[in-house]
Amino acid sequence: SQQGEEDPQALSIQEGENATMNCSYKTSINNLQWYRQNSGRGLVHLILIRSNEREKHSGRLRVTLDTSKKSSSLLITASRAADTASYFCATDVRQAAGNKLTFGGGTRVLVKP
Amino acid sequence: DAGVTQSPTHLIKTRGQQVTLRCSPKSGHDTVSWYQQALGQGPQFIFQYYEEEERQRGNFPDRFSGHQFPNYSSELNVNALLLGDSALYLCASSLSAGRKTQYFGPGTRLLVL
């Protein structure tokens, strides 16, 4: 079963617009991470936000985390055609050993020039 | 600084055969995780290796096995291949301590005919 579920499943925007995608999860987490994947290639790590953090920024990316609602959002500002990709949230759940990531199904973002 | 590397990039096998996929972690990393990503879905955790032992395992049958070598590189073996094993296999490396961000390789795309 998937811990994280992204919403929407697909998003189409014009270059320069902002893109927002959401992630919901089910259990307590150590941290939540966002990854980008281009055309079925490897995943690129974007941001890690810890369970005691509420917001993080990295360049044009802004991630929020609401542990009371078990949800996170990723905002990409001033989108570019190169931002076209699938975006995944992944949760790192509290466990005695190891730190497996549980991924959602992803949001497919298309940025039109 | 080399990132995570995987070999081969593509592989075609027939049902019932066995396959071995290889992964070299990012320099300085000691933990390797393997994920299976079916087309259009998020990655699913297979298992994680640390100190040459399987530390954690996902919901995959015993046909999936692995190994970690003293230099931290890792292999994923799949026996008695099924059509449903066709997927992108991703390797991720991380440090056992600290933030535990997982860095992914480009993946091996396996097609089972």
Side-chain angles (χ1 to χ4, degrees), chain A residues 20-91:
Chain A
T20 300
M21 58 210 85
N22 303 295
C23 169
S24 60
Y25 58 92
K26 299 174 183 175
T27 62
S28 295
I29 60 173
N30 283 327
N31 61 64
L32 185 145
Q33 302 178 40
W34 285 91
Y35 286 84
R36 184 185 75 226
Q37 185 177 41
N38 293 82
S39 301
R41 299 178 185 174
L43 281 76
V44 174
H45 184 262
L46 297 177
I47 288 186
L48 179 153
I49 186 166
R50 300 182 185 188
S51 59
N52 62 352
E53 297 176 314
R54 292 297 167 258
E55 187 172 312
K56 285 193 80 170
H57 296 255
S58 176
R60 294 184 295 111
L61 306 179
R62 173 178 169 254
V63 168
T64 62
L65 178 65
D66 187 335
T67 53
S68 67
K69 296 181 179 179
K70 292 187 169 59
S71 68
S72 175
S73 68
L74 170 66
L75 168 68
I76 305 173
T77 60
S79 62
R80 305 167 182 169
D83 295 328
T84 293
S86 291
Y87 293 82
F88 295 90
C89 70
T91 53

Side-chain angles (χ1 to χ4, degrees), chain B residues 32-53:
Chain B
V32 173
S33 305
W34 287 92
Y35 295 81
Q36 179 196 65
Q37 185 179 23
L39 197 61
Q41 299 183 18
Q44 299 287 315
F45 176 78
I46 303 175
F47 41 55
Q48 184 177 79
Y49 276 84
Y50 170 66
E51 291 188 339
E52 302 180 49
E53 291 193 358

